[in-house]
Amino acid sequence: MSKYSKYSRFFHIFVQMDKYITEAAQKILHSSHLNAFTGAGISVESGIPPFRGEGGLWNTYDPIVLDLDYFHQNPLEAWTVIHKLFYDFFGKADPNVAHIGLAELEKMGLLKTVITQNIDNLHQEAGNTDVVEFHGTAQTLVCTSCNKKFNKNEIDFSSLPVQCNHCNSLVKPDFIFFSEGIPPVAYARSVHEAESADLLLIIGTSGEVMPASMIPHLAKNKGAQIIEINTDDNIYAHASNDIFLQGKAGEIITKLIHEIKTLRNE
Ligand code: APR
Ligand code: ZN
């Protein structure tokens, strides 16, 4: 490819992206019920690796640690990896500009609900007040026998596996393991919000895990428009997007908020 055509292609993509950002900002301003649907990709810029794709956690660790039978049969092995991934590593992460941007959209009265597959609590820490945790949360833990609830700050992670101080049984994080069902209240709210939205902003998900990956299709089937942000050209980019913004969530959300403020003459 000649030097000129390479630059003209880059310039074309750059101009195209600006056009799409403006279009997406206009859709957000004109929507009456915008919801967001997020996955691990929105937390990558907080230092939390995704599960799949480049640098994915499942490339390094065996997802079997989140299998319920394995967890009960090998509590120490499972808890050693779970603690490393979800309490040691995740625990130190802060919200990034993408999380903060979604909180700003809520403050601007433009975003209603965030349906997230993430368990890292970063949307809440950024300031979103209506967050549905489709896969539960790492913030609380529960005894597998007496159902006593614990906040993660009450737990002494220096002694693993984590055991209940009430009945001595195994304690597990309050996020779902692969063979577990979606928390019923979160499931019902997510379906309701997906079907009530007239615009859905999908950020940073591979769409590989059911039933979470049906959320955009529920919205689309009820007539919602879809804007997707992802670094990779992935399955949603073909199926149902009205606008696909390829890039890092932090950069794109920052551009979107700037464009919205410009269009609102702020
Ligand atoms: N900005 C935007 N998108 C990004 C970024 C970024 N900075 N970095 C990565 N991505 C995209 C990747 O291209 C990928 O499509 O984020 C997506 C992450 O996909 P997954 O790692 O599969 O995460 P997710 O879709 O949330 O996985 C769903 O799988 O293991 C289970 O319970 C776990 O909730 C998780 C579920
Ligand atoms: Zn107990």
Side-chain angles (χ1 to χ4, degrees):
M1 183 185 293
S2 77
K3 203 166 148 211
Y4 172 73
S5 59
K6 195 171 71 173
Y7 285 121
S8 72
R9 199 172 76 79
F10 173 77
F11 184 70
H12 174 72
I13 294 171
F14 190 74
V15 168
Q16 280 287 78
M17 175 54 90
D18 271 358
K19 178 170 125 338
Y20 292 143
I21 291 275
T22 304
E23 255 180 61
Q26 285 164 339
K27 284 188 188 301
I28 290 172
L29 280 171
H30 295 129
S31 73
S32 55
H33 191 137
L34 167 68
N35 286 333
F37 175 57
T38 67
I42 197 171
S43 297
V44 165
E45 290 153 81
S46 295
I48 297 180
F51 290 100
R52 298 168 188 82
E54 197 186 322
L57 290 172
W58 298 147
N59 305 343
T60 315
Y61 297 94
D62 187 340
I64 196 159
V65 293
L66 296 187
D67 174 275
L68 218 45
D69 293 339
Y70 179 87
F71 178 72
H72 282 286
Q73 287 149 23
N74 310 275
L76 181 57
E77 293 78 359
W79 252 115
T80 303
V81 177
I82 288 169
H83 169 251
K84 186 169 180 204
L85 292 187
F86 302 109
Y87 291 97
D88 196 12
F89 204 29
F90 278 31
K92 299 187 179 82
D94 291 319
N96 65 58
V97 285
H99 298 103
I100 293 163
L102 289 189
E104 193 172 354
L105 282 178
E106 179 186 313
K107 282 192 199 85
M108 292 164 87
L110 295 170
L111 171 68
K112 184 173 174 299
T113 305
V114 177
I115 303 165
T116 187
Q117 301 170 84
N118 301 339
I119 57 174
D120 54 31
N121 202 53
L122 292 181
H123 286 300
Q124 294 92 324
E125 287 174 31
N128 279 96
T129 60
D130 187 3
V131 180
V132 184
E133 293 172 307
F134 200 78
H135 289 153
T137 178
Q139 302 310 305
T140 50
L141 301 92
V142 62
C143 173
T144 55
S145 295
C146 72
N147 287 322
K148 183 178 175 186
K149 280 269 189 187
F150 300 87
N151 182 291
K152 71 173 186 179
N153 302 327
E154 299 172 57
I155 301 288
D156 171 12
F157 287 110
S158 62
S159 99
L160 297 176
V162 177
Q163 283 173 307
C164 175
N165 59 6
H166 178 68
C167 73
N168 243 358
S169 303
L170 189 58
V171 169
K172 83 173 267 297
D174 238 349
F175 54 78
I176 62 160
F177 282 29
F178 282 115
S179 41
E180 286 189 286
I182 304 300
V185 172
Y187 184 84
R189 273 225 61 211
S190 300
V191 170
H192 172 74
E193 285 302 332
E195 296 186 333
S196 310
D198 65 345
L199 185 60
L200 186 73
L201 183 55
I202 305 176
I203 310 170
T205 180
S206 61
E208 293 208 7
V209 170
M210 278 297 282
S213 54
M214 62 154 193
I215 296 287
H217 302 291
L218 289 177
K220 192 77 183 173
N221 292 344
K222 289 283 184 180
Q225 294 206 311
I226 307 277
I227 299 170
E228 180 172 17
I229 299 171
N230 197 307
T231 41
D232 297 347
D233 197 1
N234 78 345
I235 56 161
Y236 287 144
H238 306 301
S240 52
N241 288 345
D242 294 279
I243 299 180
F244 176 59
L245 302 170
Q246 186 160 8
K248 290 186 175 179
E251 284 162 26
I252 303 263
I253 295 273
T254 304
K255 283 183 181 166
L256 261 181
I257 300 252
H258 180 264
E259 185 66 10
I260 286 167
K261 287 182 176 173
T262 307
L263 292 171
R264 288 213 310 193
N265 298 319
E266 280 180 19

